[in-house]
Amino acid sequence: MLLYNTLTRNIEELRPINPPEVTVYTCGPTVYDYPHIGNWFTFVRYDILIRVIMASGFRPKWVMNITDVGHLSSDADYGEDKLAKGARREGKSAWQIADFYSNYFLDRLAKLNFINPWQTPRATAHIDDQIEFIKILEQKGFTYRIDDGIYYETSKFPSYSDFARLDLDEQQPGVRIDFNQQKHRPSDFALWKFSSPSTPRDMEWDSPWGKGFPGWHIECSTMCYKYLGDTIDIHSGGIDHIPVHHTNEIAQSEARTQHPLANIWLHTNHILINDQKISKSLGNGLTLEDLEAKGYSPEVFRLLVAESHYRTQSKFSWEHLEATKKRLLRYHNFAVRRFQTTGKKTLGTPDILRYLQNDLNSPKALSVFEEFLDQAEKTSPSKISIESSISLMDELLGLNLQDVKDISITQKHLIRERERARDENDWPKADGIRQMLEVSNITILDTPDGPVWQYIT
Ligand SMILES: [Zn+2]
């Protein structure tokens, strides 16, 4: 299995540390609002990664954290805590916001047919572990204190700029208004922030340094270490994480353990709407609910994600989504042929896995499946040929093709009756039955082998 490693900027073979186990950490959601579809693109792509790891004979151990404290409105150390912002917006406490959107997220993973992560730890449930982590960094001399918190001294970690290939000289202090001028370097970041006496917080904890809350980056280093150990096989997230969040995770974890945090780093690219990045602040943050309200199922969304490669910038439009829905309908109407076929033709299984193993080339995998459909639609494939190809698609892409239902006995009876009417040249009756079926979303194709029914939408 080949993957593009951000660490080396090369495509590399996955060589797990303890095969068949593959340890995977994914930076999960900040639970202060409904995630937008750009967030879901990333998560679905990593669900596909996990599926391909499994199909390749490995056993993934997958951790996805839930950020419910410490993520400020900038990914660096200024701005409002996103949970506090959500609480203010909804007139609730930060704890209520965290509970609601964590549960929502987990519920959505199930609805989107995700492979269940092994662990989905919450930051607020690991405060002691984070304090412990910071203490170790303190003992090793990587921290300093200023008026608003305990900071990581990035100059103590000489390879700090390597991962993102950052030019630290370009980072000038004071460029940003909220920048704490006491920081030794602009790249230094908060490990623990103090509560301000003037602004009470819903979420705060005692620590050896004073009452406050952990920074966002320390949460991932802590939970990755706790659940998966010193060095993991794959660390993953969005491309936005490279210059700050992942760079900081590496600095913290490697300062603690003296070992590489991860052997392979994966990053998904953005999706664009009208050539703009999706973001809450731009007001173009479509949610899955927005898609559902227009009749697009979780499976259509999953197929949309698979249509683009994770390292390319993909574009979202409603027209494209509608085309994807039609594409999925074709798959559905192939799936339902297993209820109708008397064919004997055995077709080889499409080699979808091979392309997914090549740096998750899902667009190519789909085109291979569709070449297979082109063949299958010209012939009478056996039931088992249909079943094995759709079960492979479900296993690798989670499209639920095997769940597409057969029509009812009554509807099958109507199809037979229509045939009889046609044999007797009773065209008004045959047409009447056709119309009845169409009302139930079923259309009949008259083929040389007899009538074949399909779904209309
Ligand atoms: Zn993270």
Side-chain angles (χ1 to χ4, degrees):
M1 181 169 176
L2 300 172
L3 294 166
Y4 179 84
N5 187 357
T6 305
L7 191 64
T8 58
R9 272 60 170 183
N10 277 317
I11 301 231
E12 290 176 14
E13 174 94 43
L14 171 66
R15 296 181 201 282
I17 301 161
N18 290 311
E21 185 178 277
V22 177
T23 47
V24 183
Y25 187 92
T26 299
C27 290
T30 301
V31 285
Y32 72 114
D33 203 345
Y34 296 102
H36 58 61
I37 56 170
N39 303 133
W40 284 114
F41 258 73
T42 295
F43 298 135
V44 169
R45 292 192 190 293
Y46 292 130
D47 175 68
I48 294 173
L49 166 75
I50 296 295
R51 290 167 179 275
V52 177
I53 289 172
M54 287 162 72
S56 304
F58 298 118
R59 220 178 43 234
K61 210 170 174 188
W62 187 22
V63 174
M64 175 158 33
N65 68 305
I66 290 184
T67 298
D68 57 0
V69 69
H71 192 173
L72 306 188
S73 55
S74 136
D75 282 356
D77 306 308
Y78 52 90
E80 191 177 10
D81 185 319
K82 289 188 176 185
L83 269 289
K85 198 170 155 188
R88 199 160 40 76
R89 184 188 65 232
E90 298 188 16
K92 294 179 182 158
S93 76
W95 288 104
Q96 287 171 317
I97 293 293
D99 280 343
F100 178 82
Y101 289 106
S102 301
N103 291 334
Y104 166 83
F105 181 76
L106 296 174
D107 185 53
R108 270 290 160 182
L109 289 185
K111 282 200 183 122
L112 277 164
N113 200 22
F114 271 62
I115 302 289
N116 239 338
W118 171 56
Q119 297 282 345
T120 47
R122 284 171 62 160
T124 54
H126 295 77
I127 299 297
D128 289 346
D129 297 313
Q130 294 177 77
I131 289 174
E132 175 66 20
F133 204 117
I134 300 166
K135 275 200 218 149
I136 293 169
L137 294 178
E138 189 177 43
Q139 282 154 17
K140 291 180 170 238
F142 283 93
T143 67
Y144 63 92
R145 180 188 188 108
I146 55 177
D147 62 5
D148 70 346
I150 303 297
Y151 280 70
Y152 186 101
E153 178 105 65
T154 54
S155 62
K156 297 270 173 69
F157 188 73
S159 57
Y160 181 78
S161 57
D162 292 359
F163 180 65
R165 311 205 168 161
L166 296 172
D167 184 354
L168 292 180
D169 293 337
E170 277 182 7
Q171 293 192 330
Q172 294 300 326
V175 181
R176 298 201 158 110
I177 36 170
D178 293 331
F179 200 84
N180 188 324
Q181 300 293 332
Q182 297 171 25
K183 270 164 65 161
H184 298 176
R185 263 194 184 187
S187 55
D188 293 352
F189 56 91
L191 297 164
W192 186 264
K193 287 209 107 177
F194 302 135
S195 299
S196 141
S198 57
T199 24
R201 290 179 54 89
D202 292 331
M203 291 177 166
E204 57 184 6
W205 296 266
D206 288 323
S207 81
W209 313 282
K211 201 173 270 243
F213 59 99
W216 173 37
H217 318 299
I218 195 68
E219 145 192 359
C220 282
S221 282
T222 301
M223 302 207 275
C224 192
Y225 177 80
K226 179 177 173 115
Y227 292 102
L228 300 173
D230 281 13
T231 301
I232 65 169
D233 294 308
I234 301 173
H235 197 118
S236 55
I239 198 170
D240 288 350
H241 290 150
I242 297 172
V244 180
H245 183 55
H246 286 168
T247 289
N248 293 349
E249 277 189 48
I250 289 171
Q252 296 166 147
S253 296
E254 300 188 4
R256 173 178 182 162
T257 68
Q258 312 290 317
H259 294 292
L261 168 52
N263 288 333
I264 292 184
W265 286 82
L266 293 187
H267 292 98
T268 56
N269 210 326
H270 304 127
I271 68 160
L272 304 175
I273 297 184
N274 298 326
D275 292 326
Q276 279 187 311
K277 242 182 85 179
I278 300 187
S279 92
K280 290 254 151 58
S281 52
L282 290 172
N284 62 359
L286 289 173
T287 63
L288 290 174
E289 282 68 23
D290 294 328
L291 270 50
E292 264 177 18
K294 296 199 181 200
Y296 298 103
S297 66
E299 289 79 15
V300 173
F301 182 72
R302 286 194 69 107
L303 182 57
L304 180 77
V305 175
E307 283 177 337
S308 57
H309 191 262
Y310 76 97
R311 286 198 285 125
T312 60
Q313 269 191 344
S314 46
K315 291 182 186 191
F316 175 87
S317 69
W318 291 105
E319 296 72 34
H320 185 166
L321 189 62
E322 183 59 27
T324 304
K325 187 177 177 181
K326 296 222 166 70
R327 199 172 182 180
L328 186 63
L329 177 64
R330 184 185 178 200
Y331 298 3
H332 283 184
N333 282 330
F334 174 68
V336 298
R337 281 181 67 187
R338 73 193 192 282
F339 304 126
Q340 312 178 56
T341 187
T342 49
K344 296 276 185 289
K345 177 103 174 114
T346 308
L347 299 171
T349 317
D351 203 357
I352 305 160
L353 178 59
R354 182 155 68 99
Y355 291 98
L356 289 170
Q357 283 172 328
N358 185 6
D359 196 27
L360 307 175
N361 195 341
S362 53
K364 182 68 186 168
L366 293 180
S367 73
V368 165
F369 179 63
E370 288 176 14
E371 281 162 25
F372 172 84
L373 289 190
D374 292 341
Q375 290 304 313
E377 284 164 1
K378 279 188 224 139
T379 164
S380 292
S382 65
K383 188 171 188 231
I384 199 147
S385 284
I386 298 170
E387 280 170 350
S388 63
S389 63
I390 62 174
S391 89
L392 183 68
M393 286 292 277
D394 285 355
E395 181 191 344
L396 294 171
L397 298 174
L399 294 175
N400 285 339
L401 299 179
Q402 294 167 103
D403 293 354
V404 183
K405 289 195 170 47
D406 199 355
I407 54 174
S408 70
I409 290 170
T410 318
Q411 289 164 331
K412 285 179 185 172
H413 179 71
L414 281 173
I415 292 172
R416 280 197 298 275
E417 222 170 280
R418 175 177 168 275
E419 278 307 282
R420 212 169 302 133
R422 283 162 55 90
D423 288 346
E424 290 160 7
N425 293 330
D426 187 349
W427 305 110
K429 186 177 179 189
D431 273 355
I433 294 173
R434 166 185 283 277
Q435 282 161 21
M436 268 171 76
L437 288 164
E438 281 180 358
V439 171
S440 323
N441 192 29
I442 295 157
T443 185
I444 310 291
L445 307 178
D446 293 307
T447 75
D449 300 334
V452 170
W453 63 266
Q454 294 192 335
Y455 288 119
I456 299 167
T457 60

